[in-house]
Amino acid sequence: MKKTLIIAALLLACMGSKADNTPVQQAKQDLLQKTTLGGYIIGRAAFNDRDISTANTKHSDFDLRLVRGYVKGTVLDFAYMLQIEYEGYGGAKEKGPHIVDAYAQWQKYDFLRIKAGQFKRAFTFENPTNPWDISFGGYSQLVDRLAGMNDRNGEHSSGGRDAGIQVNGDLFKSHKDGHPFVSYQLGVYNGQGINHNDVNSHKDLIGNITINPFKELSVAFFGWTGNYAKNGITVDRNRMAWGLRYAGPITVRAEYGVSEGHKISDYTTDASTGARVLKEGVDDGADAWYVMTAVPVTKDKKLRVQGKWDVYRDQKTWGTSKSIYALGAEYWFYKNLKLQANYAYNNDKTTTLDSHYNTFDLQLYVRF
C-alpha cells in the first residue's frame, strides 16, 4: 500500500511539473515576472532674448516637456510595450493623454524579428534614441523636421512614430564581444503619423542598414519613400539620410538628411475654380544636418559637457536656413535623476524679425 501511494505521488508530481511548463503556464509566469511599469518626467525652465514682437511672445517659461508612463515586458518569444504621454515634445501636442507607443515584437531569433503596432520610424540614429540620452534640450532639426516629430510637410506632431509592421535583425556577430557587424530594419507604415488611420491606399516604406566595424562605431544609410495626405492634398515624402555614431570614451554623432516633396502649406485654393494649386516659387527640396559631441569631465562620468552644430534648410538654400550652435552640460545625481543646462545661439534666416537670438534652459529629468 505504501509503495502504491509513493508511486501515485510521484506520478502526480510529474504531471504537475509538466503542467507548469505548458506555454499557457509559462506565459502567465512571464506576465507576472517579466513585466515592468515605469515612467519619467522632464521639467523645464526656458529663457530667451528674442524680440517679443516676433512669434515668440515671452522671454521665459516653465513647463513640463514630457510626462510619460509605460508598461513593457516579454511573454514567451514576444516583447511588448504600451506608452502613454500627457505633454508633447516642444509644446506641440495632441489634446490630453494619448498613446505614443503600442506594439508587440516577435523576437525568437536575433537575425529576424517582426514588430507590429505603433512605434518609432526606422529613420536616423537620433529618432529612436530615448529623450534621456539626447541632451541639448531636445532632438535635432533633422529629426524634428524630417523624421516626423513636427514634420515639415504639415503632419501633426507624431514623435517620430507611425503605425505599421517592421522586420529587423542583427547579422554576423563578433566572436569577441558579441556585437553584430550588420543590423537592418525595414518597415511598412501608414504614413499618417500616430493615432491616425491611413487615408489612402499608399503606404510608406522606410528602412536602414547599419555597419558596425567594432562595438563603439556605427555607420548607417536610411531611406524613406511615401506620401502624406491632408485636407484633400497629397504630397510626396521621399527622403535619405546618412549617419555616423561613435560611443566610446567620448560620444560623437553626425547625420545628414535630404527630403524631396512639397508641404501641405505649399498649396492654395484657386479663387475661380476652387481647386488646390501649387504656389509659385516654392521648392520641394529640403535638407538638414547636425554634428555633436559629449565629453565626460569627471572620473565617475556623472558630469559631462557637450557641443552641437545643428542646421535645417527648408528649401536647400542658406536663405531658408536655421542654424543652431549649442553648448550644454548635464550632471547625473544618480541613475534616475539628472540636471541639464543648455545654451544655444540661433541664426534663423527664414525671418527678418530678430533672426539672431539666444536661448537657455534648465531641465530636470526624473525617472521611476
Side-chain angles (χ1 to χ4, degrees):
M1 184 66 178
K2 289 183 179 179
K3 290 182 179 180
T4 303
L5 291 173
I6 292 172
I7 292 171
L10 289 173
L11 287 173
L12 287 172
C14 290
M15 291 176 63
S17 176
K18 289 181 179 180
D20 289 341
N21 291 327
T22 63
V24 173
Q25 292 297 326
Q26 186 61 51
K28 289 180 180 179
Q29 292 179 20
D30 286 349
L31 282 172
L32 292 173
Q33 299 173 10
K34 299 180 180 180
T35 297
T36 301
L37 296 172
Y40 55 90
I41 300 170
I42 304 177
R44 174 171 53 188
F47 311 89
N48 69 83
D49 63 356
R50 197 172 189 184
D51 190 332
I52 61 173
S53 63
T54 64
N56 179 74
T57 59
K58 50 193 173 184
H59 288 309
S60 61
D61 193 16
F62 300 95
D63 69 346
L64 291 173
R65 176 183 153 202
L66 283 177
V67 179
R68 286 183 180 173
Y70 61 83
V71 53
K72 64 179 181 179
T74 58
V75 176
L76 301 177
D77 296 324
F78 292 85
Y80 63 89
M81 183 173 188
L82 174 65
Q83 184 167 218
I84 307 296
E85 179 177 285
Y86 178 69
E87 292 287 339
Y89 170 75
K93 53 184 177 292
E94 294 188 347
K95 293 180 180 179
H98 59 277
I99 296 172
V100 287
D101 292 292
Y103 64 81
Q105 177 172 260
W106 178 71
Q107 52 185 27
K108 184 174 182 179
Y109 305 107
D110 289 341
F111 64 86
L112 177 63
R113 297 181 284 264
I114 303 174
K115 180 187 288 189
Q118 180 170 285
F119 47 88
K120 286 279 191 176
R121 289 161 165 147
F123 194 73
T124 76
F125 278 134
E126 194 175 87
N127 183 36
T129 304
N130 190 289
W132 271 73
D133 302 316
I134 290 297
S135 302
F136 302 105
Y139 292 86
S140 67
Q141 295 180 96
L142 168 59
V143 172
D144 191 43
R145 305 296 286 161
L146 300 185
M149 291 281 179
N150 295 287
D151 204 284
R152 73 181 298 272
N153 64 11
E155 178 185 274
H156 65 287
S157 180
S158 293
R161 297 170 172 85
D162 202 356
I165 185 169
Q166 173 187 277
V167 294
N168 63 89
D170 300 321
L171 308 173
F172 314 118
K173 291 190 174 182
S174 166
H175 293 295
K176 182 179 180 180
D177 56 25
H179 88 274
F181 288 109
V182 179
S183 299
Y184 72 91
Q185 293 176 298
L186 181 63
V188 179
Y189 305 80
N190 277 340
Q192 293 301 119
I194 62 172
N195 305 323
H196 279 57
N197 292 331
D198 202 356
V199 297
N200 56 32
S201 58
H202 195 282
K203 295 292 186 288
D204 283 11
L205 181 65
I206 306 175
N208 67 67
I209 184 164
T210 302
I211 309 299
N212 310 291
F214 51 95
K215 186 176 182 179
E216 294 83 6
L217 179 65
S218 300
V219 181
F221 170 78
F222 306 86
W224 181 345
T225 181
N227 63 34
Y228 175 68
K230 183 179 181 180
N231 300 331
I233 302 170
T234 299
V235 293
D236 290 334
R237 181 157 49 180
N238 299 312
R239 296 170 179 174
M240 293 187 297
W242 300 265
L244 179 148
R245 178 177 61 193
Y246 174 74
I250 65 172
T251 299
V252 178
R253 191 170 64 249
E255 297 192 84
Y256 172 80
V258 60
S259 174
E260 181 184 76
H262 282 288
K263 299 178 287 187
I264 297 296
S265 59
D266 288 343
Y267 289 80
T268 187
T269 303
D270 186 278
S272 58
T273 64
R276 301 297 178 90
V277 295
L278 185 64
K279 297 176 183 177
E280 293 185 5
V282 292
D283 195 292
D284 69 344
D287 65 356
W289 65 87
Y290 72 88
V291 180
M292 67 77 65
T293 185
V295 180
V297 294
T298 57
K299 289 184 179 181
D300 58 10
K301 298 183 179 181
K302 287 187 176 182
L303 175 64
R304 72 174 190 174
V305 295
Q306 49 214 8
K308 186 177 187 178
W309 178 38
D310 183 353
V311 180
Y312 169 69
R313 304 193 302 175
D314 193 57
Q315 295 188 34
K316 296 178 72 173
T317 65
W318 286 107
T320 60
S321 68
K322 180 179 180 180
S323 302
I324 302 173
Y325 306 88
L327 295 173
E330 58 183 11
Y331 182 78
W332 296 78
F333 295 97
Y334 63 95
K335 181 180 179 180
N336 294 323
L337 177 66
K338 73 173 181 177
L339 181 66
Q340 184 183 103
N342 305 289
Y343 163 78
Y345 171 73
N346 299 261
N347 182 7
D348 187 354
K349 294 185 178 180
T350 64
T351 179
T352 58
L353 298 173
D354 198 9
S355 59
H356 301 268
Y357 59 95
N358 301 281
T359 61
F360 176 79
D361 68 61
L362 283 172
Q363 298 194 29
L364 182 65
Y365 292 66
V366 181
R367 185 163 49 190
F368 53 89

